[in-house]
Amino acid sequence: MGATVWMVRAAEGGRLADDFRERGVVAIGWTDLGDLNQYPDKERIKSAVDSAYPDWPEGRKQTSASQLERFRREPRIGVITCIRLMWCRRSKTSAG
């Protein structure tokens, strides 16, 4: 089986790429939702997205919840993360 690769944008214009590289981490900016580990499943993440972004179209909220759940659940040791396709690292720790 091939390697799993995540592409994460490092904020607008890649302004956080150096911080990510120096710290050996990646992050996503959904601060309105807090720590994603507080939500036991995608349905709870979706409820939080609904509350935080009530004016968003339903499809955008569903897509966002799905992506957040995958980010919370899937990254593990050995996963390669690319930031704006400029910098890649193999993770040494799991998400969460």
Side-chain angles (χ1 to χ4, degrees):
M1 184 163 91
T4 298
V5 177
W6 280 78
M7 197 285 286
V8 178
R9 288 178 176 82
E12 191 172 331
R15 67 181 170 80
L16 296 176
D18 289 339
D19 288 340
F20 286 2
R21 184 174 41 249
E22 289 168 12
R23 295 176 186 194
V25 300
V26 294
I28 56 176
W30 292 75
T31 56
D32 291 340
L33 302 184
D35 183 348
L36 293 177
N37 288 314
Q38 70 180 309
Y39 306 110
D41 53 38
K42 185 172 92 171
E43 289 73 28
R44 298 281 174 85
I45 293 174
K46 172 67 168 55
S47 292
V49 171
D50 287 339
S51 295
Y53 307 100
D55 296 332
W56 281 9
E58 186 59 31
R60 182 176 181 186
K61 291 189 281 190
Q62 185 64 44
T63 298
S64 296
S66 295
Q67 291 172 341
L68 291 165
E69 168 60 10
R70 287 191 65 209
F71 187 85
R72 183 186 70 82
R73 178 176 37 90
E74 291 182 13
R76 296 289 177 250
I77 294 170
V79 170
I80 297 170
T81 305
C82 296
I83 298 174
R84 296 190 58 85
L85 303 178
M86 296 183 302
W87 172 73
C88 295
R89 73 180 284 270
R90 186 174 298 273
S91 65
K92 296 178 183 162
T93 59
S94 63

